Amino acid sequence: MTRAEHAIMRTILSIPGGKVASYGQVAAAAGYPRHHRQVARFLRKYGDHVPWQRVVGAGGLLKTSDDEAMHQRLLLEREGIRFNGDRVNLALYECSFE
């Protein structure tokens, strides 16, 4: 695993249950701003090792395929996250990285 992948993993693991972060937020918090696509590649490769469901698209949209999006939504709802239509309410559930 590369240094960037380790940083992305640590960042995703730091998102608490009941919170979400966008791909861009994860990339920036990991020290790789504007590398949101690298976060997506990381999740395709190592998603089974992190709480992948807590990473969403900009604006709170679920960016996975239809079946995976239904699964992702179910996992997030189990964590107490509620949706406004097809979006996570980021005002309530967005993770703040320090």
Side-chain angles (χ1 to χ4, degrees):
M1 192 177 294
T2 68
R3 180 179 293 170
E5 289 171 335
H6 278 289
I8 291 167
M9 177 178 273
R10 282 191 305 276
T11 301
I12 294 170
L13 288 171
S14 75
I15 303 169
K19 295 290 184 180
V20 298
S22 71
Y23 293 90
Q25 288 174 302
V26 169
Y32 297 90
R34 298 190 330 244
H35 285 82
H36 59 279
R37 287 189 180 111
Q38 188 170 4
V39 174
R41 283 191 297 272
F42 171 86
L43 288 172
R44 281 192 297 275
K45 190 174 181 181
Y46 298 109
D48 292 343
H49 304 286
V50 296
W52 63 271
Q53 73 275 11
R54 296 179 188 154
V55 182
V56 298
L61 283 171
L62 304 184
K63 302 299 277 184
T64 53
S65 68
D66 289 340
D67 288 340
E68 282 188 20
M70 288 182 359
H71 184 224
Q72 183 177 16
R73 183 179 179 128
L74 176 64
L75 292 172
L76 290 172
E77 287 175 339
R78 286 182 182 166
E79 292 185 12
I81 293 175
R82 300 292 168 242
F83 286 74
N84 290 335
D86 60 351
R87 294 176 184 264
V88 172
N89 183 341
L90 294 180
L92 295 175
Y93 303 111
E94 186 173 43
C95 178
S96 175
F97 296 104
E98 296 179 19

